């Protein structure tokens, strides 16, 4: 069995390809030098102490 067959067994409802997702979320036109940051949520819904530390280190330089 190859990986394509296995993926079809495990995820039969997934029909979108990577190209489809790229079309749904096109590149943003940001100003020169802009930075984009994403802080991933904790599974508990609260800010994780490691994320808080990373925010503090990254934004207080």
């Amino acid at each position: 069995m190859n990986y394509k067959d296995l993926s079809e067994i495990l995820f039969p409802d997934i029909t979108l390809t990577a190209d489809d997702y790229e079309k749904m979320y096109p590149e943003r036109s940001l100003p020169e030098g802009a930075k984009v940051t994403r802080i991933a949520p904790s599974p508990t819904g609260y800010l994780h102490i490691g994320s808080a530390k990373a925010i503090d280190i990254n934004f207080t330089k």
Side-chain angles (χ1 to χ4, degrees), residues 4-51:
K4 183 165 176 48
D5 293 338
L6 180 60
S7 68
E8 289 175 1
I9 292 169
L10 294 174
F11 309 107
D13 298 332
I14 296 178
T15 58
L16 297 176
T17 65
D19 290 332
D20 295 329
Y21 285 107
E22 287 181 9
K23 289 175 189 170
M24 288 182 352
Y25 303 103
E27 275 192 48
R28 296 180 269 184
S29 57
L30 298 171
E32 184 69 29
K35 295 181 181 179
V36 177
T37 303
R38 180 183 181 277
I39 305 298
S42 169
T44 62
Y46 294 98
L47 182 65
H48 188 271
I49 190 67
S51 297

